[in-house]
Amino acid sequence: MVTISDSSTRTRVLITGGSGYLGQFLIAALRQHHSVAYTYHNNAITAQPVDAEPFKVDIATGQGLQAAVLQFKPQVVVNCAALSQPAACERDYEACRTLNVPSKLVDALEQLQQSTTTEALLIHISTDQVYAGTRPWWSEDDAAEPVNAYGRSKLEAEQHLAAAYPASHVVLRASLIYGPEPPLQAVGRPLFVQFVESQLAQGLPTSFFVDEFRSAVFVNDICDVVKHIISRLPAAARAGAGAAADSTGSGCQLAGLAHSVYNLGGPERLSRHDMAMAVAQHCRHSSEAVLATNSAGVQRGYSSPPDISMKMDRLLADMPGMRLTAFADGLAAVFPGRGVQQDAAAAVH
């Protein structure tokens, strides 16, 4: 992490979709050592004071976006804005791709570079659903062949960045994100592990898929990866002077990374049934309410890849010191004061 006390030299970070779940954690993680702003569409963060400048924009149409970028002059943009509900993407692919392919954002960043010479690093949050899911443990070198509209739109976004903003972007293919309640305000949608715990606490029988697998990622791990990438920026780029990109290689030259696409998940291959059983064990609930079911019998209105567990070898090699949180350890952070580990600690004291 770059720790800078002088506000004039703090890295300026713009988080698009900052009022969403991941966006809020990024604001909380970055605001102490960086100058942070965020965009929102409908819901600004109003539940508590936030040391981050808000900008109301429409990522899809670009309304307000160029003005926000030219006013704040970000050196880093973390793009969390997306339509991430697969069923909604399937119903209206054009609306989906208009939001998920950040062409208006790239246009604004190019305008920023032309007018100020600031070359902003774009960290784009993509998805594990770019993979077909026909086998376990996907790597970045495997062909991306999404099976649903959401995955296609995110792959199209990656392709657009590779063509239009090649040397100055990093793609993070995030898996299912879990973690504590959002730090700044509610997001108006259920969070998976909290939903599971609530169902189990009430003893309500609930079915979970046993035949779909992912590498669920703890939200703080994403924040740590973003902080690591920002710390790699050359001093000139952090000062707003831009950085001359090397013409060689296919990685993110601005951040000095050997690659521009990284899988980002947890270290385990888990089904939703596995995760629900882990919540039951950690929270000391009966597992009798955790029912096993196959995905084939459920009509969701879209195709879902059966196994998109991912290898994280590239990320761990290119970002030394990164640690990916095991699911059990993540649950200990989500539900503190419960479980075997907490009982053992209490016994010691």
Side-chain angles (χ1 to χ4, degrees), residues 103-192:
S103 57
K104 299 293 191 300
L105 178 58
V106 169
D107 291 345
L109 295 181
E110 290 177 337
Q111 179 62 37
L112 174 68
Q113 186 171 5
Q114 292 169 10
S115 61
T116 68
T117 73
T118 296
E119 182 180 13
L121 170 66
L122 175 55
I123 303 173
H124 178 76
I125 306 300
S126 189
T127 177
D128 53 359
Q129 294 204 43
V130 298
Y131 297 117
T134 53
R135 56 170 175 76
W137 300 120
W138 294 82
S139 78
E140 298 89 344
D141 291 326
D142 293 322
E145 297 175 335
V147 301
N148 57 41
Y150 172 59
R152 289 195 298 275
S153 71
K154 298 298 273 187
L155 179 58
E156 188 175 344
E158 294 184 16
Q159 294 167 340
H160 180 76
L161 292 174
Y165 210 64
S168 305
H169 80 277
V170 178
V171 168
L172 301 177
R173 290 176 173 170
S175 184
L176 172 69
I177 302 172
Y178 74 97
E181 294 292 331
L184 303 176
Q185 69 181 23
V187 291
R189 63 176 177 83
L191 305 174
F192 178 67

Side-chain angles (χ1 to χ4, degrees), residues 253-271:
Q253 295 152 17
L254 187 59
L257 287 166
H259 302 91
S260 59
V261 177
Y262 293 92
N263 290 341
L264 181 48
E268 298 139 308
R269 172 180 178 264
L270 299 168
S271 68

Side-chain angles (χ1 to χ4, degrees), residues 37-51:
Y38 73 95
T39 73
Y40 68 95
H41 186 207
N42 293 319
N43 300 310
I45 299 172
T46 57
Q48 58 178 289
V50 178
D51 187 17

Side-chain angles (χ1 to χ4, degrees), residues 15 17-29 45 182-187:
I15 301 167
S19 58
Y21 182 72
L22 175 58
Q24 289 188 39
F25 278 93
L26 287 167
I27 291 173
I45 299 172
L184 303 176
Q185 69 181 23
V187 291

Side-chain angles (χ1 to χ4, degrees), residues 295-349:
S295 60
V298 179
Q299 296 298 319
R300 288 178 279 185
Y302 61 92
S303 298
S304 184
D307 192 335
I308 43 179
S309 55
M310 299 185 296
K311 296 179 181 179
M312 260 58 70
D313 298 23
R314 174 184 288 184
L315 183 142
L316 295 175
D318 286 5
M319 304 181 195
M322 292 304 308
R323 176 183 174 274
L324 298 175
T325 303
F327 192 68
D329 294 333
L331 291 180
V334 177
F335 305 110
R338 308 193 200 184
V340 176
Q341 293 175 335
Q342 288 74 17
D343 289 350
V348 170
H349 295 288

